[in-house]
Amino acid sequence: MKILIVGSGGREHALAWRLKQSPRVTQIIAAPGNPGIAQLAECVPVAADNIEGLVDLARIERPNLVIIGPEVPLVMGLADKLRAIDIPVFGPSARAAMLEGSKGFSKDFMAKHNIPTARYRRFDATQAAEAKAYLDTFDGPPYVLKADGLAAGKGVVIPETKAEAEAEIDAMLGGRFGAASASLVIEEFMHGEEASFFALCDGETAVALAGAQDHKRAGDGDTGPNTGGMGAYSPAPILDEAMQSRVMEEIVTPTVNGMKKDGRPFRGVLFVGLMIDEKHGPRVVEYNVRFGDPECQVIMTRLKDDPLPQFLACAIGGLAGCARLERISDPAVTVVMAGAGYPGEPKKGGVIGKLKEAGKVPGVIIFHAGTTQKGDDIIASGGRVLTITATAPTLQEAVIRAYEAVDTIDWPDGFCRRDIAWRALKRG
Ligand code: AMP
Ligand code: GLY
């Protein structure tokens, strides 16, 4: 089988790495891929947001399955255009990708289908005064303001005072995130522990895949600015089997049923960002319509079974007949190495040395993200550059292995958090 993977991050490298092991996969093409993926697949220089270019590539290559990694091409309708030329796609239609593409849509959807989440209201550019008045309906700060559209992970602002919240309402509705913040959602601040849950869906049925926990802030101790994610581990202790069943029953199944009923069947991986506390149980912080990055890296390294049959079933139906994918019992952790300055302007251009040596640490796999190849050298060329992933019989050992590999890598411009998995390690 020929697989086309769209994207160029650590997530797509992990998908390529796992699928390469499938006995049914004969060829992997990646668009555009990265130097790590290039060791496993043929990389074609078509960007992940070049919809026409990707459709042309698929028309020529006729892959048996296209896996779309990032959200932008999904929201732009890549899956629809590929299905229109009879190519099976792992990933939702543009109408289903609205779950991630519009916060307002996803909140209205949850309200309509009684899916537990924070209380909210939507406001457009003419309603700044109403938006400010709505702040008074909460107990006090922090307030949660969300740009409606995709804003590269930066569209959520959590002001600590009412004055800041009011200024932020003006800035957002005034175009701080361009069209993405032409309207916004204001919602109740939820307390609790955050976790990510992933389920595979074929439009009719959902099958649980795994739980994970991400580290959104750039700095140790969960300080500093929000990022795309600085590290992750799986399993997440808070998402034990009982909690996963609750999430399936109270959130995932009603979501898949609701989307089907509303004429937007969801195909692909549903990534539910959760807030969990004793009083409310699991509630939805947000939906994503693709794998998380770096959560995908820890999920793929823990999969014992070949995920290809499930991925295909998501694309063409029949997931109900598939068993839940078996995972190895060993936990996995991944540490993101980013260029100094990230999530602001990262330092680029430095040569990354000793990658081969680092990759020899037992249990370690290095997935590339923002790297480029120049002759024999690997050069840092993005914000998040490498994701160092490790498995071991215990999470503590996996963490030690991951940092041993991190410390072997010779890249003075890079940084990482030194406390990935602290929450799970603290639980013991
Ligand atoms: P999002 O981009 O929706 O994932 O939001 C970014 C981060 O903001 C989340 O990972 C949470 O940590 C936080 N967040 C978003 N919504 C809420 C909420 N209603 N209550 C508390 N924290 C939130
Ligand atoms: N790591 C969080 C995300 O992919 O959205």
Side-chain angles (χ1 to χ4, degrees), residues 51-355:
I51 305 299
E52 292 314 318
L54 291 166
V55 173
D56 285 344
L57 178 65
R59 208 177 262 127
I60 295 163
E61 295 287 349
R62 300 301 309 181
N64 303 96
L65 179 67
V66 180
I67 298 178
I68 303 174
E71 63 277 17
V72 168
L74 291 165
V75 170
M76 289 170 81
L78 177 59
D80 306 83
K81 294 214 160 121
L82 293 171
R83 286 195 185 107
I85 55 170
D86 291 324
I87 291 179
V89 186
F90 179 86
S93 67
R95 278 167 57 77
M98 291 273 286
L99 279 183
E100 178 166 1
S102 165
K103 302 272 189 209
F105 171 87
S106 77
K107 296 297 293 190
D108 289 350
F109 171 83
M110 286 184 266
K112 180 176 172 193
H113 296 283
N114 289 315
I115 294 164
T117 187
R119 176 167 72 83
Y120 77 105
R121 255 189 73 185
R122 302 174 71 169
F123 301 93
D124 68 24
T126 67
Q127 294 174 304
E130 286 101 315
K132 289 174 193 170
Y134 186 62
L135 297 176
D136 291 328
T137 69
F138 299 106
D139 287 341
Y143 301 101
V144 182
L145 274 45
K146 300 186 170 181
D148 184 71
L150 291 182
K154 300 190 180 90
V156 176
V157 183
I158 306 192
E160 292 291 341
T161 67
K162 191 163 170 217
E164 270 177 70
E166 289 178 341
E168 196 58 49
I169 287 171
D170 287 329
M172 283 172 91
L173 290 177
R176 166 180 303 223
F177 300 111
S181 67
S183 71
L184 55 86
V185 167
I186 300 181
E187 70 179 31
E188 168 199 358
F189 183 87
M190 293 185 285
H191 294 275
E193 188 170 332
E194 254 188 288
S196 308
F197 185 76
F198 297 84
L200 297 175
C201 313
D202 68 353
E204 304 267 335
T205 307
V207 176
L209 179 61
Q213 269 175 315
D214 188 13
H215 301 66
K216 297 232 179 216
R217 303 295 199 95
D220 284 9
D222 293 331
T223 57
N226 256 325
T227 70
M230 294 301 291
Y233 54 90
S234 179
I238 192 165
L239 284 169
D240 58 16
E241 286 301 322
M243 184 57 76
Q244 291 196 39
S245 301
R246 270 193 79 175
V247 172
M248 284 302 291
E249 204 170 298
E250 294 169 27
I251 295 171
V252 175
T253 302
T255 300
V256 171
N257 290 344
M259 291 296 278
K260 185 184 166 202
K261 205 163 151 199
D262 292 351
R264 301 169 188 265
F266 188 92
R267 298 190 186 92
V269 58
L270 183 68
F271 162 3
V272 190
L274 297 165
M275 192 68 80
I276 304 172
D277 74 357
E278 287 278 336
K279 183 171 163 205
H280 303 92
R283 291 191 284 173
V284 178
V285 175
E286 61 165 358
Y287 288 114
N288 295 302
V289 300
R290 36 121 192 131
F291 278 113
D293 187 345
E295 290 94 326
C296 186
Q297 289 85 313
V298 286
I299 293 173
M300 287 304 127
T301 43
R302 287 190 67 230
L303 277 184
K304 191 150 116 189
D305 289 339
D306 176 10
L308 183 67
Q310 257 86 345
F311 287 179
L312 260 179
C314 290
I316 59 179
L319 194 60
C322 296
R324 183 174 172 176
L325 288 169
E326 269 300 317
R327 287 141 303 159
I328 56 165
S329 53
D330 285 359
V333 66
T334 189
V335 177
V336 172
M337 293 184 80
Y342 176 79
E345 197 46 50
K347 204 161 174 186
K348 293 181 188 170
V351 175
I352 304 170
K354 300 230 173 104
L355 275 173

